[in-house]
Amino acid sequence: MLLHNRLSPWIISNVLLAAAVLPGLAQPGLPDLPPAADPPSTSPGFSIPDTSITEDLSPNNERSDSEADNADNITPSASTVSLTATDVVTLLLENNLDLRNEVLERIAQQQDLEEVERIFLPDFIPTLRLGLSDREDAVAEITREALLQAEFLTPLGTDIAVAVDIEDRELDLSLNQPLLRGSGRAVNTSQIEIARLQEDNNRLTLRQRLILDITSGILTYHGLIRAQAALQIQQLSLATQQERRRSVAALVEAGRRAQFELVEIDANLAATKTNVLEAENALEQAQSNLLNLLDVSDTLEITIPDSSLANLNTIDRAFVMPSLEQLVAVAYIHRPDYQQLQSDLKIVKLEELVAVDNRRWNLDLRANASTGDLSEASTELVLTHLLDDESTKTALERNRVRQQQLNNDFERLNSDIRLEVEDQLRNVESARNRIEATRRARELAEKRLENVLALARAGRNRDSFEVLELQNAVVTAQNSEVNAAIDLADAIATLHQALGTTLVEWAEQVDASQLLVVPESLDAISND
């Protein structure tokens, strides 16, 4: 019981922070997910997060003022820094250069869209010409011209060109109106619609990247908590065994215990010291993984803030998980890959419209008019067609194949999303059930050890091997309970990723990062 009494107030709360730092989904119109953000209890054992829809479980509300100060005062010169999950997400979004490069790419993508959306705006071409000609049999001649040209395309496909000679006061006007191929609003505006859908896909690609990176950051943070908890358990186990050895050594010197009992204890101590070294190495690796992910100084040592641990005292209620159908409906609304595939289906439909149009004959109405010293006007109908043009047929067939492929992909993605959500939901339920099972196993292991030690204190000798075996069983049970709690936090974070709701959970941090806001230009980024 000594090991458990020293371990419970700090470690059990510490490891449950993994479940405490994830904010809960409490957005109108969406089913509530388990908010692994509710602080866990500091009493021995584990509890389950609450999922009350009226409870505010946003990431900011879990942080005390001192936590906020910790996050704000992070400097490269500090040797130790306390980070909450909110701090991890904030630093991840601020420091990740790959994400910043994605934002830079969005500037170019936005410009591509603006370029396409201007196709129906007139293009003005001013021309100034000054010339000098000199021939042997003629007087040198100076020529000059001031010309203003304008060209523009209408949504109906009408191509209009106007040229004004300012010097000679002449006007030329030409018009070309397609009557078959290239005519109609649907065909001529399809390019803009496709560009807008592609811009939506670009935006969704960045959102998907953010979801993956934030989830990776949270899972890496949980790995640090897992490693820190495992080390603390092994260190306290080592301290308990060393204390036990001193007691048995005194009894051996007094002639009340056999010398061989110390051999068993020393062997177990050596194994535990090895476990401590391995746990220390695992902790250093976990810290390195998180530091690399956050792109901060590798000289820092990340710890879990005491202020967060002090608030871990209310997680003693069960949560009700939404149904599978509710969660699948949420995934269909929020998952970027699902929305991207829907956009791709719309794009390929518009491309089919263009491909069909390209198979038609060209029948154009052309008109020309000019004014000046001699005004004239003309109009004509022109019918043309490229015979045996296989390229348009190939483009149409390829489009139809692409449509069928996307429909197959869409059907498969519908099924995959359901299966993925179902798997993650099962993982959450399994982890929650294992917390209760491992808690009970830990309590029984501690009770067995307590009973054996009580008998020893009463003078009823128990062999040291049995005590050591029971002490090791307690350590194993405590590690299992720790892992079950962090597995639950991992499962909830991964469930949010499967639902596409990670950005809903971390909306405040994402909004503050401005990563989803496309800068107007590179100058705007430089000024910031």
Side-chain angles (χ1 to χ4, degrees):
M1 281 302 292
L2 176 60
L3 176 60
H4 173 247
N5 290 337
R6 297 174 61 182
L7 183 65
S8 294
W10 191 88
I11 275 296
I12 299 301
S13 297
N14 189 354
V15 298
L16 271 176
L17 183 61
V21 293
L22 285 180
L25 181 59
Q27 177 169 313
L30 301 178
D32 287 342
L33 297 181
D38 216 7
S41 173
T42 55
S43 59
F46 292 84
S47 301
I48 305 299
D50 179 44
T51 185
S52 171
I53 194 170
T54 60
E55 186 173 4
D56 187 359
L57 295 172
S58 63
N60 281 345
N61 288 337
E62 70 165 297
R63 302 176 65 192
S64 66
D65 293 339
S66 58
E67 285 182 67
D69 291 339
N70 267 337
D72 294 337
N73 292 328
I74 295 174
T75 61
S77 61
S79 59
T80 302
V81 61
S82 295
L83 294 181
T84 65
T86 301
D87 298 326
V88 168
V89 173
T90 299
L91 288 172
L92 176 65
L93 298 179
E94 288 179 354
N95 296 344
N96 193 308
L97 294 180
D98 290 336
L99 288 177
R100 294 295 168 184
N101 286 336
E102 294 284 347
V103 174
L104 293 176
E105 179 64 23
R106 294 287 292 118
I107 298 176
Q109 293 168 349
Q110 187 69 37
Q111 183 59 41
D112 291 339
L113 174 61
E114 292 179 3
E115 178 184 348
V116 174
E117 289 181 329
R118 292 179 58 87
I119 62 174
F120 295 128
L121 296 179
D123 294 325
F124 294 99
I125 309 171
T127 303
L128 297 176
R129 181 181 295 112
L130 181 63
L132 174 63
S133 62
D134 187 11
R135 293 183 298 178
E136 292 181 0
D137 58 346
V139 178
E141 181 182 0
I142 297 177
T143 60
R144 60 185 181 183
E145 182 182 35
L147 189 66
L148 178 61
Q149 296 173 291
E151 298 176 355
F152 62 95
L153 178 70
T154 72
L156 296 177
T158 310
D159 191 358
I160 301 173
V162 179
V164 179
D165 191 329
I166 300 175
E167 184 70 21
D168 297 333
R169 297 184 179 181
E170 294 181 353
L171 172 66
D172 291 324
L173 173 66
S174 64
L175 179 147
N176 185 75
Q177 174 61 59
L179 301 178
L180 290 178
R181 179 178 179 178
S183 67
R185 181 180 296 272
V187 170
N188 287 283
T189 59
S190 62
Q191 183 179 358
I192 295 179
E193 295 301 322
I194 289 174
R196 288 172 177 170
L197 289 169
Q198 187 58 56
E199 170 62 15
D200 288 341
N201 277 351
N202 294 335
R203 175 180 54 83
L204 291 168
T205 297
L206 180 56
R207 293 179 68 86
Q208 180 67 24
R209 174 66 185 274
L210 285 174
I211 288 174
L212 295 177
D213 284 2
I214 290 175
T215 303
S216 176
I218 292 301
L219 297 182
T220 304
Y221 181 71
H222 292 170
L224 174 61
I225 299 175
R226 191 191 302 269
Q228 185 170 320
L231 175 59
Q232 187 72 8
I233 289 173
Q234 293 297 338
Q235 287 175 334
L236 293 178
S237 175
L238 178 62
T240 301
Q241 291 179 35
Q242 289 173 335
E243 188 173 328
R244 169 75 178 168
R245 190 197 186 286
R246 288 191 291 270
S247 299
V248 173
L251 294 175
V252 169
E253 290 182 4
R256 297 175 58 187
R257 289 291 183 92
Q259 182 70 32
F260 75 87
E261 293 192 25
L262 287 177
V263 176
E264 295 289 346
I265 294 177
D266 288 340
N268 201 67
L269 269 173
T272 303
K273 288 178 181 178
T274 301
N275 293 338
V276 169
L277 293 174
E278 292 176 350
E280 288 174 345
N281 182 67
L283 178 60
E284 290 178 2
Q285 184 61 55
Q287 289 180 337
S288 177
N289 292 341
L290 187 56
L291 289 171
N292 289 337
L293 190 66
L294 299 181
D295 196 19
V296 295
S297 173
D298 57 6
T299 61
L300 292 176
E301 179 182 353
I302 299 177
T303 62
I304 310 305
D306 293 338
S307 53
S308 291
L309 299 177
N311 294 328
L312 306 182
N313 54 11
T314 61
I315 186 164
D316 54 359
R317 296 158 291 177
F319 60 77
V320 177
M321 180 65 68
S323 69
L324 175 62
E325 295 302 323
Q326 287 177 304
L327 294 178
V328 170
V330 170
Y332 288 155
I333 294 173
H334 287 274
R335 278 186 59 138
D337 56 343
Y338 189 80
Q339 298 175 48
Q340 282 180 314
L341 192 49
Q342 289 177 318
S343 294
D344 288 339
L345 286 168
K346 294 177 182 178
I347 289 174
V348 78
K349 281 290 186 182
L350 291 169
E351 291 174 341
E352 180 188 23
L353 180 66
V354 175
V356 170
D357 181 74
N358 288 337
R359 297 275 292 165
R360 304 167 74 183
W361 285 56
N362 292 295
L363 178 60
D364 300 335
L365 172 64
R366 299 176 182 177
N368 296 279
S370 62
T371 63
D373 295 337
L374 181 62
S375 299
E376 62 176 345
S378 65
T379 184
E380 59 183 351
L381 281 174
V382 180
L383 178 65
T384 60
H385 184 67
L386 178 61
L387 299 177
D388 295 329
D389 183 10
E390 292 295 325
S391 63
T392 57
K393 180 180 179 181
T394 300
L396 181 58
E397 288 301 315
R398 184 172 294 279
N399 175 271
R400 289 172 175 169
V401 169
R402 178 61 176 159
Q403 282 193 60
Q404 186 59 52
Q405 290 173 334
L406 287 176
N407 284 325
N408 292 339
D409 291 343
F410 189 71
E411 182 178 349
R412 181 173 61 245
L413 184 58
N414 272 281
S415 175
D416 289 347
I417 287 176
R418 172 175 286 274
L419 291 175
E420 183 179 355
V421 172
E422 186 176 8
D423 288 344
Q424 298 306 326
L425 180 61
R426 183 169 57 251
N427 289 341
V428 170
E429 294 290 355
S430 174
R432 183 177 64 174
N433 293 334
R434 281 191 290 112
I435 286 179
E436 178 60 27
T438 55
R439 181 194 63 81
R440 181 59 178 162
R442 186 258 305 158
E443 290 174 347
L444 291 174
E446 291 167 350
K447 187 63 177 177
R448 290 180 63 194
L449 178 59
E450 181 182 8
N451 291 339
V452 169
L453 293 177
L455 289 174
R457 287 192 295 269
R460 299 172 60 182
N461 288 343
R462 310 290 293 191
D463 64 81
S464 296
F465 180 78
E466 181 181 5
V467 174
L468 293 175
E469 186 178 49
L470 292 176
Q471 285 178 334
N472 290 335
V474 169
V475 171
T476 300
Q478 288 170 336
N479 276 318
S480 297
E481 187 177 14
V482 165
N483 289 328
I486 300 177
D487 287 345
L488 175 60
D490 283 350
I492 292 175
T494 309
L495 176 60
H496 278 301
Q497 177 181 318
L499 297 177
T501 54
T502 303
L503 301 188
V504 177
E505 291 300 290
W506 300 98
E508 184 172 347
Q509 285 69 39
V510 173
D511 291 344
S513 72
Q514 296 288 295
L515 289 175
L516 294 180
V517 178
V518 182
E520 295 182 0
S521 64
L522 287 174
D523 293 336
I525 297 180
S526 300
N527 292 335
D528 291 342

